[in-house]
Amino acid sequence: MFLGPHDLIGTVSAQYQLIDKLVRSAKGETRRGLLRAGAAYSALVGWLYQDAGDMDGASFWRGVTQEIAARSRDPHLIGTHW
């Protein structure tokens, strides 16, 4: 059985929301790691919206990815997120 983007958007975005919540109370390397994971999850949600044909949703999540990548201060992540 294969799952399409519509089947996965809710699950992956919920995982991103959990990571985002954890970032708010984390510090140091734990926070940086969560920010990197959050950027990966938000990029995946954006890709799922794009795959589903929802360019507005994809654009929104691209912005989320850019913001969280910048917050991570990881130069590799900032330069490669899309």
Side-chain angles (χ1 to χ4, degrees), residues 1-8:
M1 176 178 164
F2 294 103
L3 298 175
H6 292 84
D7 300 310
L8 298 173

Side-chain angles (χ1 to χ4, degrees), residues 28-55:
E29 189 55 39
T30 300
R31 184 175 189 275
R32 284 187 288 276
L34 286 167
L35 285 168
R36 286 190 295 270
Y41 272 87
S42 64
L44 177 56
V45 176
W47 179 84
L48 290 168
Y49 272 101
Q50 182 178 339
D51 194 41
D54 182 343
M55 295 304 126

Side-chain angles (χ1 to χ4, degrees), residues 17-77:
Q17 290 171 359
L18 175 59
I19 292 167
D20 186 53
K21 185 176 180 178
L22 293 170
V23 164
R24 296 171 198 202
S25 61
K27 301 206 183 310
E29 189 55 39
T30 300
R31 184 175 189 275
R32 284 187 288 276
L34 286 167
L35 285 168
R36 286 190 295 270
Y41 272 87
S42 64
L44 177 56
V45 176
W47 179 84
L48 290 168
Y49 272 101
Q50 182 178 339
D51 194 41
D54 182 343
M55 295 304 126
D56 289 337
S59 179
F60 170 80
W61 282 98
R62 184 175 299 118
V64 171
T65 303
Q66 290 173 333
E67 181 211 338
I68 201 165
R71 287 171 47 202
S72 77
R73 297 184 181 166
D74 181 333
H76 298 291
L77 190 58

